[in-house]
Amino acid sequence: MEDRRKYDRVYLSEYDYDYPCYIQYGDAEYSVKLLDISQGGARFYMEYGQMPAYQYSQGTIMRMAENSPYYMKNVSYNVAWQYGNEFGVTFSQPLSTSYTALQQDMAPHYYYD
């Protein structure tokens, strides 16, 4: 199967880390974990319950709970898929950072310990 992704992903599980963050989806704010990310999208895990099934198709990553890089604040997204407690999004605009910077920002202990 051909991979349709335009951007390489940083799989946070490879670094034994995931980022807690907060998203806005519809009229509610949810606590989620960021599982992987690229400049074009991300995969999240909803810790408590499930996201409303495509009731809304757009939302905003409000902020990261820790070490929030400037480019991860108020990022608009569209829900691309949902399966159980996990869902994938595409960003409305690609993140203004490089793949290497994503690796360094999202797994700093891997690079700096």
Side-chain angles (χ1 to χ4, degrees), residues 23-30 51-52 55-60 62 77 79:
I23 62 167
Q24 173 272 324
Y25 189 66
D27 294 330
E29 187 174 296
Y30 296 93
M51 213 163 80
Q55 183 179 355
Y56 309 96
S57 61
Q58 300 176 333
T60 305
M62 303 295 286
Y77 64 80
V79 177

mmCIF file of all heavy atoms in Angstrom, residues 23-30 51-52 55-60 62 77 79:
data_model
loop_
_atom_site.group_PDB
_atom_site.id
_atom_site.type_symbol
_atom_site.label_atom_id
_atom_site.label_comp_id
_atom_site.label_asym_id
_atom_site.label_seq_id
_atom_site.Cartn_x
_atom_site.Cartn_y
_atom_site.Cartn_z
ATOM 1 N N ILE A 23 -7.365 20.152 23.817
ATOM 2 C CA ILE A 23 -7.922 20.544 22.520
ATOM 3 C C ILE A 23 -9.323 21.093 22.718
ATOM 4 O O ILE A 23 -10.011 20.756 23.673
ATOM 5 C CB ILE A 23 -7.971 19.362 21.525
ATOM 6 C CG1 ILE A 23 -8.884 18.245 22.051
ATOM 7 C CG2 ILE A 23 -6.571 18.851 21.217
ATOM 8 C CD1 ILE A 23 -9.226 17.200 21.020
ATOM 9 N N GLN A 24 -9.731 21.917 21.809
ATOM 10 C CA GLN A 24 -11.104 22.389 21.735
ATOM 11 C C GLN A 24 -11.739 21.633 20.582
ATOM 12 O O GLN A 24 -11.155 21.515 19.507
ATOM 13 C CB GLN A 24 -11.135 23.906 21.493
ATOM 14 C CG GLN A 24 -12.505 24.481 21.222
ATOM 15 C CD GLN A 24 -12.870 24.441 19.748
ATOM 16 O OE1 GLN A 24 -12.027 24.620 18.881
ATOM 17 N NE2 GLN A 24 -14.125 24.184 19.472
ATOM 18 N N TYR A 25 -12.912 21.070 20.849
ATOM 19 C CA TYR A 25 -13.626 20.316 19.822
ATOM 20 C C TYR A 25 -15.097 20.590 20.041
ATOM 21 O O TYR A 25 -15.642 20.240 21.094
ATOM 22 C CB TYR A 25 -13.305 18.830 19.952
ATOM 23 C CG TYR A 25 -13.824 17.977 18.817
ATOM 24 C CD1 TYR A 25 -13.320 18.126 17.539
ATOM 25 C CD2 TYR A 25 -14.805 17.025 19.039
ATOM 26 C CE1 TYR A 25 -13.776 17.334 16.503
ATOM 27 C CE2 TYR A 25 -15.261 16.229 18.007
ATOM 28 C CZ TYR A 25 -14.751 16.386 16.745
ATOM 29 O OH TYR A 25 -15.206 15.608 15.728
ATOM 30 N N GLY A 26 -15.726 21.265 19.099
ATOM 31 C CA GLY A 26 -17.097 21.712 19.314
ATOM 32 C C GLY A 26 -17.094 22.773 20.392
ATOM 33 O O GLY A 26 -16.269 23.683 20.390
ATOM 34 N N ASP A 27 -17.965 22.636 21.371
ATOM 35 C CA ASP A 27 -18.055 23.608 22.459
ATOM 36 C C ASP A 27 -17.289 23.178 23.704
ATOM 37 O O ASP A 27 -17.371 23.844 24.731
ATOM 38 C CB ASP A 27 -19.523 23.829 22.841
ATOM 39 C CG ASP A 27 -20.311 24.482 21.721
ATOM 40 O OD1 ASP A 27 -19.706 25.247 20.947
ATOM 41 O OD2 ASP A 27 -21.525 24.225 21.621
ATOM 42 N N ALA A 28 -16.558 22.085 23.649
ATOM 43 C CA ALA A 28 -15.909 21.543 24.846
ATOM 44 C C ALA A 28 -14.390 21.522 24.705
ATOM 45 O O ALA A 28 -13.848 21.533 23.602
ATOM 46 C CB ALA A 28 -16.417 20.129 25.111
ATOM 47 N N GLU A 29 -13.713 21.480 25.854
ATOM 48 C CA GLU A 29 -12.270 21.306 25.898
ATOM 49 C C GLU A 29 -11.992 19.915 26.462
ATOM 50 O O GLU A 29 -12.620 19.502 27.424
ATOM 51 C CB GLU A 29 -11.631 22.370 26.784
ATOM 52 C CG GLU A 29 -10.125 22.340 26.742
ATOM 53 C CD GLU A 29 -9.505 23.494 27.502
ATOM 54 O OE1 GLU A 29 -9.694 24.657 27.106
ATOM 55 O OE2 GLU A 29 -8.839 23.208 28.516
ATOM 56 N N TYR A 30 -11.064 19.203 25.827
ATOM 57 C CA TYR A 30 -10.752 17.834 26.221
ATOM 58 C C TYR A 30 -9.272 17.698 26.553
ATOM 59 O O TYR A 30 -8.426 18.346 25.931
ATOM 60 C CB TYR A 30 -11.069 16.855 25.083
ATOM 61 C CG TYR A 30 -12.520 16.784 24.726
ATOM 62 C CD1 TYR A 30 -13.044 17.573 23.718
ATOM 63 C CD2 TYR A 30 -13.373 15.904 25.388
ATOM 64 C CE1 TYR A 30 -14.387 17.497 23.374
ATOM 65 C CE2 TYR A 30 -14.718 15.827 25.053
ATOM 66 C CZ TYR A 30 -15.212 16.624 24.047
ATOM 67 O OH TYR A 30 -16.541 16.555 23.709
ATOM 68 N N MET A 51 -14.279 10.923 21.934
ATOM 69 C CA MET A 51 -14.675 12.153 21.295
ATOM 70 C C MET A 51 -16.030 11.937 20.632
ATOM 71 O O MET A 51 -16.302 10.827 20.161
ATOM 72 C CB MET A 51 -13.641 12.506 20.225
ATOM 73 C CG MET A 51 -13.440 13.964 20.058
ATOM 74 S SD MET A 51 -11.907 14.280 19.195
ATOM 75 C CE MET A 51 -12.394 13.986 17.537
ATOM 76 N N PRO A 52 -16.889 12.954 20.590
ATOM 77 C CA PRO A 52 -18.144 12.793 19.854
ATOM 78 C C PRO A 52 -17.843 12.397 18.411
ATOM 79 O O PRO A 52 -17.002 13.003 17.757
ATOM 80 C CB PRO A 52 -18.773 14.189 19.912
ATOM 81 C CG PRO A 52 -18.128 14.858 21.071
ATOM 82 C CD PRO A 52 -16.745 14.279 21.176
ATOM 83 N N GLN A 55 -19.261 14.581 15.229
ATOM 84 C CA GLN A 55 -20.317 15.581 15.407
ATOM 85 C C GLN A 55 -19.813 16.918 14.873
ATOM 86 O O GLN A 55 -20.551 17.689 14.294
ATOM 87 C CB GLN A 55 -20.690 15.708 16.882
ATOM 88 C CG GLN A 55 -21.827 16.678 17.136
ATOM 89 C CD GLN A 55 -22.169 16.742 18.616
ATOM 90 O OE1 GLN A 55 -21.618 16.008 19.430
ATOM 91 N NE2 GLN A 55 -23.064 17.633 18.961
ATOM 92 N N TYR A 56 -18.552 17.155 15.089
ATOM 93 C CA TYR A 56 -17.881 18.325 14.543
ATOM 94 C C TYR A 56 -16.724 17.792 13.712
ATOM 95 O O TYR A 56 -16.231 16.712 13.954
ATOM 96 C CB TYR A 56 -17.334 19.208 15.669
ATOM 97 C CG TYR A 56 -18.351 19.530 16.720
ATOM 98 C CD1 TYR A 56 -18.434 18.794 17.892
ATOM 99 C CD2 TYR A 56 -19.247 20.572 16.525
ATOM 100 C CE1 TYR A 56 -19.377 19.090 18.852
ATOM 101 C CE2 TYR A 56 -20.196 20.870 17.482
ATOM 102 C CZ TYR A 56 -20.250 20.126 18.652
ATOM 103 O OH TYR A 56 -21.185 20.417 19.596
ATOM 104 N N SER A 57 -16.276 18.537 12.759
ATOM 105 C CA SER A 57 -15.143 18.051 11.984
ATOM 106 C C SER A 57 -13.905 18.907 12.188
ATOM 107 O O SER A 57 -12.849 18.587 11.691
ATOM 108 C CB SER A 57 -15.498 18.006 10.493
ATOM 109 O OG SER A 57 -15.825 19.302 10.036
ATOM 110 N N GLN A 58 -14.027 20.006 12.920
ATOM 111 C CA GLN A 58 -12.897 20.897 13.118
ATOM 112 C C GLN A 58 -12.711 21.199 14.591
ATOM 113 O O GLN A 58 -13.650 21.119 15.371
ATOM 114 C CB GLN A 58 -13.112 22.214 12.377
ATOM 115 C CG GLN A 58 -13.278 22.040 10.893
ATOM 116 C CD GLN A 58 -13.594 23.357 10.213
ATOM 117 O OE1 GLN A 58 -14.158 24.257 10.800
ATOM 118 N NE2 GLN A 58 -13.204 23.447 8.953
ATOM 119 N N GLY A 59 -11.505 21.552 14.945
ATOM 120 C CA GLY A 59 -11.210 21.939 16.315
ATOM 121 C C GLY A 59 -9.910 22.702 16.368
ATOM 122 O O GLY A 59 -9.352 23.080 15.343
ATOM 123 N N THR A 60 -9.402 22.898 17.597
ATOM 124 C CA THR A 60 -8.161 23.637 17.801
ATOM 125 C C THR A 60 -7.358 22.977 18.909
ATOM 126 O O THR A 60 -7.918 22.638 19.949
ATOM 127 C CB THR A 60 -8.453 25.097 18.215
ATOM 128 O OG1 THR A 60 -9.298 25.695 17.243
ATOM 129 C CG2 THR A 60 -7.171 25.904 18.329
ATOM 130 N N MET A 62 -5.407 23.655 21.773
ATOM 131 C CA MET A 62 -5.315 24.865 22.576
ATOM 132 C C MET A 62 -3.903 25.081 23.105
ATOM 133 O O MET A 62 -3.348 26.152 22.991
ATOM 134 C CB MET A 62 -6.286 24.801 23.753
ATOM 135 C CG MET A 62 -7.735 24.587 23.338
ATOM 136 S SD MET A 62 -8.383 25.963 22.388
ATOM 137 C CE MET A 62 -8.582 27.170 23.673
ATOM 138 N N TYR A 77 -7.379 22.320 13.292
ATOM 139 C CA TYR A 77 -7.276 21.012 12.660
ATOM 140 C C TYR A 77 -8.639 20.548 12.157
ATOM 141 O O TYR A 77 -9.674 21.067 12.547
ATOM 142 C CB TYR A 77 -6.712 19.972 13.629
ATOM 143 C CG TYR A 77 -7.595 19.690 14.831
ATOM 144 C CD1 TYR A 77 -8.688 18.837 14.726
ATOM 145 C CD2 TYR A 77 -7.341 20.283 16.059
ATOM 146 C CE1 TYR A 77 -9.505 18.581 15.827
ATOM 147 C CE2 TYR A 77 -8.148 20.032 17.158
ATOM 148 C CZ TYR A 77 -9.231 19.180 17.027
ATOM 149 O OH TYR A 77 -10.042 18.935 18.103
ATOM 150 N N VAL A 79 -10.661 16.771 11.759
ATOM 151 C CA VAL A 79 -10.604 15.362 12.119
ATOM 152 C C VAL A 79 -10.625 14.541 10.835
ATOM 153 O O VAL A 79 -11.512 14.689 10.000
ATOM 154 C CB VAL A 79 -11.789 14.969 13.034
ATOM 155 C CG1 VAL A 79 -11.755 13.478 13.334
ATOM 156 C CG2 VAL A 79 -11.762 15.778 14.322
#
